[in-house]
Amino acid sequence: NGHTGAVWCVDVDWDTKHVLTGSADNTCRLWDCQTGRQLALLKTSSAVRTCGFDFSGNIIMFSTDKQMGYQCYLNYFDLRDPQQIEENQPYVSVPCSESKITSAVWGPLGEFVIAGHENGEINQFSAKSGEVLRKVKEHTKQINDIQTSVDLTMVITASKDNTAKLFDSTSLEHIKTFKTERPVNSAAISPIMDHVRCTVAVGGGVNIVFAVFFHAAYEEEFGRVKGHFGPINCVAFHPDGKSYSSGGEDGYVRIHYFDPHYFEFEFEG
């Protein structure tokens, strides 16, 4: 307990000691994972949309929404410096006046953050200076989700333009495109197999939603799994690659197990 508004983002550091959360109550909070005790409170002028620990767990980033006359900012704090936390003063704060950040993840080695924007752009922001290192615009509409591969060499984006796209996380080179008939809310990369999973949000009528599987190399759809009765907002593979979870607007988190060799899907939850 602690937040007084919707919690938009959650991240856990590498050794599961600390949890970082961002909320519509205009705060980003650091928690002790074992006890639930609040360790730090960082106040902002607008809702916190994305947050995350770098690979070391020492640096955190979070972005704020463009709302109520305030523009979007990407903020970096060093948790090893108590003064930054006490004074609520990030060591780098990057204004994003053109288009707000809608999703963000850390890149390899914690050198930069990869951010997706409302206008479909993807930017790399330096963790040292905040400068834009690289910028690409392969999507035509808002990016809803960004996730990394298990080795952080690739990222996948999910967009309202009915596509998910695979990029090299360092160069931001566009590698593959996975097309669907509906806006894509979330996408994830299997840690053990050459396939990508994206979820399709269906609007209007009876919202029977499918999780769609694509082959990462051939860009071909090879399977769909249904279960949710409403848009799927988030998906993730289990680290062993033998199952995945999805959270939907039907009020359920569902865990699906499948045969990793023959893709024979089974349902639980």
Side-chain angles (χ1 to χ4, degrees):
N1 292 323
H3 282 295
T4 58
V7 178
W8 291 121
C9 50
V10 180
D11 193 30
V12 185
D13 62 4
W14 68 275
D15 57 359
T16 324
K17 287 185 177 180
H18 299 133
V19 181
L20 190 67
T21 56
S23 171
D25 65 5
N26 297 359
T27 67
C28 184
R29 303 179 189 234
L30 182 69
W31 312 82
D32 182 287
C33 192
Q34 184 175 3
T35 66
R37 183 170 64 93
Q38 182 177 293
L39 303 176
L41 169 63
L42 302 169
K43 295 182 179 180
T44 64
S45 299
S46 57
V48 177
R49 181 62 54 175
T50 68
C51 67
F53 291 96
D54 76 339
F55 188 75
S56 70
N58 294 323
I59 309 295
I60 63 170
M61 66 84 182
F62 63 86
S63 68
T64 59
D65 273 352
K66 182 179 181 180
Q67 60 183 191
M68 299 182 295
Y70 297 100
Q71 65 177 325
C72 168
Y73 282 91
L74 175 63
N75 298 311
Y76 294 94
F77 283 84
D78 190 332
L79 298 178
R80 296 167 295 186
D81 184 355
Q83 187 174 358
Q84 290 183 27
I85 307 301
E86 292 169 6
E87 298 180 359
N88 200 40
Q89 188 63 45
Y91 73 85
V92 172
S93 186
V94 185
C96 303
S97 56
E98 292 185 11
S99 182
K100 75 173 184 179
I101 294 173
T102 51
S103 186
V105 293
W106 279 94
L109 304 177
E111 295 178 343
F112 51 80
V113 164
I114 304 170
H117 293 255
E118 193 174 33
N119 64 358
E121 278 186 357
I122 303 173
N123 289 327
Q124 276 184 1
F125 293 99
S126 168
K128 292 183 178 180
S129 64
E131 67 175 313
V132 177
L133 303 176
R134 289 177 180 83
K135 177 188 293 188
V136 296
K137 194 175 188 299
E138 295 289 340
H139 287 289
T140 58
K141 294 183 180 180
Q142 175 177 309
I143 295 174
N144 292 323
D145 186 28
I146 298 180
Q147 295 192 37
T148 63
S149 60
V150 67
D151 59 1
L152 302 182
T153 60
M154 295 182 293
V155 293
I156 189 167
T157 56
S159 173
K160 284 185 175 181
D161 66 5
N162 299 4
T163 67
K165 293 178 183 285
L166 198 63
F167 296 87
D168 181 278
S169 59
T170 301
S171 67
L172 289 188
E173 177 187 357
H174 176 216
I175 302 172
K176 298 289 181 181
T177 296
F178 311 97
K179 298 180 181 179
T180 71
E181 66 272 19
R182 298 285 182 174
V184 183
N185 279 352
S186 185
I189 304 170
S190 169
I192 61 170
M193 292 176 286
D194 292 330
H195 67 261
V196 170
R197 174 177 180 248
C198 11
T199 60
V200 181
V202 179
V206 180
N207 291 330
I208 301 177
V209 183
F210 295 90
V212 186
F213 287 77
F214 290 90
H215 193 285
Y218 302 118
E219 303 175 326
E220 295 176 350
E221 177 186 330
F222 65 82
R224 293 192 175 200
V225 179
K226 60 184 180 180
H228 285 283
F229 291 87
I232 298 174
N233 290 330
C234 52
V235 296
F237 276 100
H238 191 283
D240 66 12
K242 297 179 181 179
S243 62
Y244 66 91
S245 61
S246 55
E249 291 187 16
D250 58 358
Y252 288 93
V253 173
R254 300 177 184 270
I255 300 173
H256 303 257
Y257 299 88
F258 59 91
D259 187 309
H261 301 292
Y262 301 102
F263 308 111
E264 295 174 353
F265 299 96
E266 301 173 359
F267 305 95
E268 289 194 10

